[in-house]
Amino acid sequence: MKFLIIFISLSIIYADDGLSYLNKIRTNVGLINLKPNYSLKKASHSHAKYLLRHQVTGHSEQRGRALYTGDKAYKRALVAGYPSAFVMENLTINTSNARESIDNLLSAIYHRFVFLTPLLDEIGISMASSPKGRRFNRVFVYDLGSSALSQICQKSYPKKNGQYYIRDICKDSSNMIPQSLYDKSKNDIALQNHDIILFPYPNQKEVSPVFYNESPDPLPSYKVSGYPISVELNPAYYADIKLKSFRLYRGNKEIKDTKILDYRSDINKIFTKSQFALMPLKRLEYGTLYSVRFEAIADKKVIKKSWQFRTIKPKGKLYRITPKRTHLKVKANSEAVFYFVPRDKNDIITRYGSTRELKVSYIDQNTFRVKFSKKKSTTKAILDLGHRKVTFDIE
């Protein structure tokens, strides 16, 4: 009998890499730092191993399969010893490092709200990796929870007349928690944070210009669009919120090709009444300053926010390619970045061909970095995308 042995290596990230980067971002938006929690780390560790073992993605697990610890994130956290079922989870597949993983999740609006929630204050982060020959070879898993709710779940409460109780929020599902205590505990965490969370945050630099996809997808008919801008009004400060306007500008010109998401217009019904997003329906430009204006009425108070952010500009010479055919002269032993402007909402690059004089790598699904051969070429070098082609004279 022959056995297939798959070796999986695990590394647990504490405050040195992923957590320190995430907390730096949270600080910039006015949120408290997330603290590492052993039980949440254990839960994220188990799910990362499960996903790699079975070469699947997502937040669910199938009962009966190897390494199964729970079909949902909160159940895995309870099995790992976390006292509260109030748990949220983020994950990425095949990102090269923690920073790239976190940036990818922040570009996806639903996952961004998990990382930037004012309701949670502790986290467990794990990374699992396997041989590169496999379809999925690296997984980052992030499980977030509330220390305040964990604390109340470690006590029992005698029943009192006139008091409302809730259940199924603790490891002991029969433990009845007074509704007022549950609400107070959530607010105790939220009140430590800023009343309004903006992202990209004011004066942020090197912001991605693009959003591609997310599961579930907030823009299912788009394969490529612009980077989401989000506002969350901390529910500990505001209850009754009505959006008045949410606008994006490049210079003095408003970008009107956008979609506004809130709890009513979100097709996946994930947004809360406190969350709002402006989704640009076309990619933003590289190295460009944008301005945002937001206005809402919250508990009869006018809320106005205006701020700016700047998108990233890739290092090196940048070519913005729009024609079907482009011819360029370049220097031997040089490199450049080629941004192929999407022709429509589904125009992403999934494959390409190139001659041997070029060394091509993806920056994103519309942008390449190209290194040219060290020697001059007597023939034309070609980068062929099928619907668009660039030829080079290497001099």
Side-chain angles (χ1 to χ4, degrees):
M1 183 179 294
K2 295 182 178 180
F3 295 90
L4 175 63
I5 301 176
I6 299 173
F7 294 95
I8 298 177
S9 64
L10 265 291
S11 9
I12 309 303
I13 303 170
Y14 293 96
D16 55 346
D17 189 2
L19 183 53
S20 60
Y21 179 62
L22 178 55
N23 276 337
K24 181 179 179 180
I25 293 169
R26 284 176 59 91
T27 297
N28 285 332
V29 300
L31 296 170
I32 59 175
N33 283 351
L34 297 170
K35 301 170 292 186
N37 177 274
Y38 175 77
S39 295
L40 292 173
K41 177 194 69 177
K42 187 177 178 182
S44 65
H45 177 115
S46 68
H47 192 49
K49 289 193 297 180
Y50 176 93
L51 295 177
L52 276 191
R53 172 68 176 271
H54 300 291
Q55 290 291 284
V56 294
T57 184
H59 300 286
S60 63
E61 295 184 6
Q62 185 176 332
R63 184 181 297 274
R65 303 188 77 179
L67 303 181
Y68 171 87
T69 54
D71 62 339
K72 299 182 185 300
Y74 81 89
K75 291 182 180 178
R76 295 190 290 272
L78 295 177
V79 169
Y82 196 66
S84 166
F86 194 70
V87 172
M88 299 182 186
E89 184 174 77
N90 272 346
L91 65 89
T92 60
I93 301 290
N94 287 351
T95 47
S96 58
N97 53 57
R99 178 168 180 153
E100 181 184 325
S101 170
I102 291 168
D103 284 342
N104 280 3
L105 290 163
L106 287 170
S107 74
I109 190 64
Y110 300 131
H111 294 76
R112 176 191 298 176
F113 282 133
V114 172
F115 272 160
L116 302 184
T117 176
L119 301 177
L120 305 178
D121 68 338
E122 50 190 8
I123 191 171
I125 309 177
S126 296
M127 185 277 284
S129 61
S130 64
K132 290 186 177 180
R134 309 191 79 201
R135 181 186 174 201
F136 299 147
N137 57 68
R138 181 173 285 110
V139 180
F140 285 89
V141 179
Y142 310 81
D143 285 336
L144 293 83
S146 164
S147 63
L149 294 181
S150 292
Q151 186 174 1
I152 66 172
C153 276
Q154 296 178 61
K155 301 177 182 179
S156 58
Y157 303 90
K159 307 301 182 293
K160 296 181 180 179
N161 290 333
Q163 176 74 270
Y164 289 98
Y165 292 84
I166 56 176
R167 60 185 303 171
D168 296 325
I169 66 164
C170 302
K171 187 171 185 178
D172 179 2
S173 60
S174 65
N175 190 5
M176 305 287 284
I177 306 296
Q179 178 77 54
S180 58
L181 180 59
Y182 174 78
D183 293 339
K184 179 182 181 302
S185 297
K186 287 173 63 177
N187 279 351
D188 284 345
I189 301 296
L191 286 169
Q192 298 176 53
N193 295 294
H194 199 277
D195 63 332
I196 302 174
I197 300 105
L198 312 174
F199 200 85
Y201 55 80
N203 301 317
Q204 184 173 347
K205 299 177 181 179
E206 298 189 341
V207 174
S208 171
V210 64
F211 166 67
Y212 284 112
N213 54 59
E214 183 175 10
S215 181
D217 197 336
L219 296 175
S221 64
Y222 285 76
K223 290 185 178 179
V224 56
S225 57
Y227 195 78
I229 296 97
S230 63
V231 176
E232 180 166 6
L233 278 67
N234 190 331
Y237 295 90
Y238 303 106
D240 183 19
I241 304 166
K242 182 179 180 181
L243 178 66
K244 300 294 289 183
S245 65
F246 200 170
R247 303 180 189 276
L248 177 65
Y249 296 84
R250 181 182 179 185
N252 294 322
K253 185 176 180 180
E254 182 180 357
I255 297 171
K256 295 187 177 182
D257 198 5
T258 64
K259 182 176 178 61
I260 306 300
L261 297 184
D262 60 15
Y263 81 100
R264 291 189 181 92
S265 59
D266 171 25
I267 63 171
N268 297 300
K269 303 304 177 185
I270 295 175
F271 277 53
T272 69
K273 293 182 178 181
S274 302
Q275 296 170 339
F276 305 89
L278 183 151
M279 310 290 288
L281 297 181
K282 294 181 180 178
R283 273 188 67 133
L284 304 182
E285 293 292 333
Y286 282 117
T288 301
L289 183 67
Y290 290 91
S291 301
V292 187
R293 298 176 189 171
F294 174 89
E295 183 176 351
I297 304 295
D299 300 332
K300 299 182 180 181
K301 177 184 176 182
V302 176
I303 304 292
K304 289 186 177 182
K305 291 290 179 181
S306 298
W307 75 100
Q308 296 179 321
F309 66 89
R310 186 178 294 276
T311 53
I312 192 169
K313 182 179 180 182
K315 293 181 180 179
K317 186 173 180 61
L318 174 66
Y319 291 91
R320 189 178 186 275
I321 307 295
T322 56
K324 290 184 177 180
R325 298 289 183 268
T326 303
H327 180 229
L328 298 169
K329 294 181 179 180
V330 295
K331 293 183 178 180
N333 198 29
S334 66
E335 66 177 68
V337 174
F338 294 85
Y339 166 44
F340 293 88
V341 180
R343 298 168 303 169
D344 56 49
K345 63 183 182 180
N346 294 311
D347 186 15
I348 60 174
I349 302 167
T350 57
R351 61 179 65 184
Y352 66 89
S354 64
T355 53
R356 62 183 180 179
E357 297 89 354
L358 309 179
K359 185 177 180 181
V360 183
S361 58
Y362 276 102
I363 292 177
D364 61 41
Q365 288 182 277
N366 296 100
T367 313
F368 290 108
R369 184 174 297 279
V370 179
K371 294 184 179 180
F372 302 101
S373 63
K374 295 181 180 180
K375 297 180 180 180
K376 296 180 181 180
S377 177
T378 57
T379 60
K380 293 187 185 300
I382 299 173
L383 176 59
D384 189 352
L385 309 181
H387 61 284
R388 274 186 275 192
K389 182 183 292 186
V390 184
T391 58
F392 303 95
D393 291 330
I394 301 178
E395 302 177 335

